[in-house]
């Protein structure tokens, strides 16, 4: 079992040759992480959700390229199941392999604690669904009216994958 406080992922390169390093979220990172997410999501996370990471309830790791924040991932685990709670890559850095590196990091973090990884995604988020399908996630259910949306509520797809 990897103790999370000593988890120390090695720097890596994306398939496009971008050099990435990883580190856990700190309090000073919350504002830039929220700014990144607010450019991508209609309903980004509130500050308190990121504060849950600092409190140890979730685990948030950042990907940086030459000190620039390019993406982040948030995971949790309980009772033998892992959950991918959030993942985002800055729009100018998408389609370069950062997402797949963040997902690999998420698997590495969760694998000692869980054999399955679950996630929820908006039914309209075709890009993310394609991204997850390529990473061997499969549909295990739907949650009707799960997300707030511009036109009321929107269904969630529940996806899962073995670790
Ligand atoms: C989903 C997300 C994290 C993917 O990050 P990324 O760094 O662009 O992903 P990668 O470059 O590693 O892509 C890997 C593969 O996923 C699929 N994929 C990723 N983005 C895609 C897109 N916009 N359209 C179609 N397929 C896509 C492709 O198969 C891609 O491989 P390819 O570029 O060789 O075709 C990113 O698009 C994002 O931040 N989206 C906004 C936030 C979000 O919706 N998060 C998910 C919440 S559930």
């Amino acid at each position: 079992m990897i103790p999370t406080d000593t988890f120390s992922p090695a720097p890596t390169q994306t398939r496009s040759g971008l050099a990435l390093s990883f580190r856990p979220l700190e309090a000073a990172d919350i504002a830039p992480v929220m700014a990144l997410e607010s450019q991508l999501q209609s309903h980004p996370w509130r500050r308190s959700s990121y504060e849950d990471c600092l409190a140890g309830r979730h685990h948030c790791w950042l990907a940086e390229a030459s000190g620039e924040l390019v993406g982040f991932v948030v995971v949790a685990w309980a009772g033998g199941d892992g959950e991918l709670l959030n993942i985002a890559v800055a729009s100018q850095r998408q389609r370069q392999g950062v997402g797949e590196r963040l997902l690999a990091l998420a698997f590495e973090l969760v694998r000692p604690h869980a054999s399955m990884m679950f996630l929820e995604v908006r039914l309209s988020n075709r890009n993310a669904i394609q991204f997850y399908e390529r990473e061997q996630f499969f549909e295990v259910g739907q949650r009707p009216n799960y997300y707030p949306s511009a036109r009321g509520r929107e269904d969630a797809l529940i996806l899962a994958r073995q670790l």
Side-chain angles (χ1 to χ4, degrees), residues 15 36 40-41 84-90 93-101 119-122 125-128 130-132 134-135 147:
R15 59 187 149 78
L36 187 157
L40 301 170
Q41 298 283 19
L84 185 81
L85 295 170
N86 205 347
I87 185 168
V89 173
R93 296 295 192 176
Q94 290 184 9
R95 299 307 285 269
Q96 295 175 45
V98 177
E100 67 185 13
R101 291 300 178 186
L119 64 85
E120 278 126 15
V121 58
R122 286 176 186 269
N125 194 348
R126 301 312 307 170
N127 295 344
Q130 260 186 272
F131 168 71
Y132 294 131
R134 181 174 134 149
E135 295 284 342
Y147 291 109

